[in-house]
């Protein structure tokens, strides 16, 4: 598995998708999803210039982060259990899976205890997939309206995961729906909320996500291969 070459190819595909969409390349960032990968694979990606990594599980982040240089940026993209929040610290740049009030409350409590503010994305189940976590689209406005009551949490946008069995056209439609939801809600003034980020698109569909406005794409298999 040539991780350096894979990264070159993924970045080329991102650049091509950006050009087709006539977007500013600086508005899209690649997250290397390193779940289940050994530290050696992350080190290889780092040597190839990758700095932003995403983990699904807190335990894996705890094990890997100390082994990589301090200029790495760490994202959590998997479902976050409330009892794992106490293990997180300021080295987590962005939590992509804020999806319920109990997690919001726990993050705020831990943030208050440590005098820090968590950067988060609200996970939206835009495909209404019963197998996926996330708020339903109609639940999002009330959730955002409550963020101001939790001063140690900030919401910077939305994250979604495409439906597993969806066609390319359906997947692109879901990404478009999330962008439209963001655009519709962006004009409202909620305390602690700005909606500049859209985390959507993975190995199989990140080009579609870029076309529909993704600012963060989460690519694992196309970089590291399968395990």
């Amino acid at each position: 598995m040539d991780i350096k070459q894979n990264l070159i190819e993924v970045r080329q595909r991102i650049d091509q998708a950006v050009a087709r969409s006539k977007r500013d390349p600086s508005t899209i960032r690649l997250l290397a999803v390193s779940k289940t990968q050994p530290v050696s694979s992350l080190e290889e990606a780092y040597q190839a210039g990758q700095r932003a990594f995403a983990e699904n599980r807190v335990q894996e982040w705890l094990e890997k982060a100390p082994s990589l240089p301090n200029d790495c940026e760490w994202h959590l993209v998997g479902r976050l259990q409330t009892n794992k929040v106490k293990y997180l610290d300021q080295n987590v740049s962005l939590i992509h899976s804020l999806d319920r009030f109990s997690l919001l409350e726990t993050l705020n409590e831990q943030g208050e205890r440590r005098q820090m503010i968590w950067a988060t994305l609200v996970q939206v189940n835009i495909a209404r997939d019963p197998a996926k976590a996330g708020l339903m689209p109609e639940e999002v406005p009330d959730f955002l309206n409550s963020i101001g009551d939790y001063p140690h949490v900030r919401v910077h946008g939305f994250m979604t995961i495409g439906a597993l069995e969806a066609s390319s056209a359906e997947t692109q439609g879901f990404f478009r729906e999330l962008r439209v939801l963001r655009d519709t809600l962006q004009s409202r003034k909620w305390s602690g909320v700005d909606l500049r980020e859209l985390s959507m698109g993975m190995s199989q569909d990140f080009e579609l996500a870029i076309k529909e406005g993704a600012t963060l794409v989460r690519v694992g298999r196309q970089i590291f291969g399968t395990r």
Side-chain angles (χ1 to χ4, degrees):
M1 181 56 60
D2 189 338
I3 291 172
K4 180 179 181 179
Q5 184 58 38
N6 289 349
L7 271 168
I8 290 170
E9 291 173 4
V10 167
R11 288 171 183 150
Q12 286 175 340
R13 288 172 60 187
I14 289 173
D15 289 344
Q16 290 163 0
V18 167
R20 288 194 298 269
S21 305
K22 297 181 172 57
R23 292 184 56 192
D24 178 355
S26 69
T27 62
I28 295 112
R29 299 176 60 225
L30 170 63
L31 304 182
V33 180
S34 45
K35 64 178 182 178
T36 76
Q37 296 296 327
V39 169
S40 58
S41 292
L42 279 73
E43 290 172 337
E44 193 173 337
Y46 181 91
Q47 292 301 322
Q50 184 64 28
R51 294 294 180 269
F53 295 90
E55 287 291 341
N56 275 48
R57 296 174 61 247
V58 172
Q59 186 60 39
E60 284 200 65
W61 169 74
L62 286 169
E63 292 167 358
K64 294 173 186 175
S67 301
L68 270 80
N70 290 334
D71 62 339
C72 287
E73 180 181 316
W74 294 95
H75 295 240
L76 279 179
V77 297
R79 185 169 172 83
L80 179 55
Q81 296 173 303
T82 54
N83 65 348
K84 294 292 195 295
V85 172
K86 60 180 176 286
Y87 299 113
L88 304 180
D89 59 29
Q90 69 277 3
N91 293 311
V92 175
S93 297
L94 189 61
I95 296 167
H96 290 231
S97 50
L98 177 56
D99 63 351
R100 59 201 187 279
F101 277 103
S102 60
L103 179 56
L104 176 59
E105 291 164 357
T106 302
L107 285 167
N108 193 67
E109 289 168 6
Q110 289 291 332
E112 183 176 18
R113 193 168 296 169
R114 304 173 197 199
Q115 288 303 294
M116 62 174 288
I117 296 173
W118 304 102
T120 71
L121 303 178
V122 169
Q123 183 171 349
V124 183
N125 189 347
I126 203 77
R128 300 179 183 275
D129 184 343
K132 296 284 194 303
L135 297 175
M136 292 300 164
E138 62 272 15
E139 297 173 325
V140 172
D142 284 345
F143 192 82
L144 294 180
N145 194 46
S146 71
I147 297 298
D149 297 330
Y150 301 88
H152 294 276
V153 179
R154 296 285 184 273
V155 169
H156 296 296
F158 297 144
M159 182 271 265
T160 200
I161 301 170
L164 196 60
E165 302 299 326
S167 67
S168 293
E170 289 170 329
T171 296
Q172 186 172 342
F174 294 141
F175 293 155
R176 185 180 305 119
E177 286 181 46
L178 189 67
R179 173 175 51 80
V180 169
L181 179 67
R182 189 277 307 273
D183 292 349
T184 302
L185 298 178
Q186 205 165 26
S187 61
R188 301 199 198 177
K189 301 301 181 188
W190 282 298
S191 178
V193 176
D194 73 79
L195 299 177
R196 64 179 183 266
E197 302 286 5
L198 285 177
S199 172
M200 56 189 193
M202 298 190 288
S203 285
Q204 69 277 15
D205 52 27
F206 66 85
E207 288 142 314
L208 297 175
I210 289 170
K211 185 175 182 179
E212 295 302 335
T215 62
L216 296 160
V217 292
R218 313 181 303 270
V219 180
R221 188 177 67 252
Q222 296 287 342
I223 295 171
F224 296 110
T226 54
R227 288 212 62 195

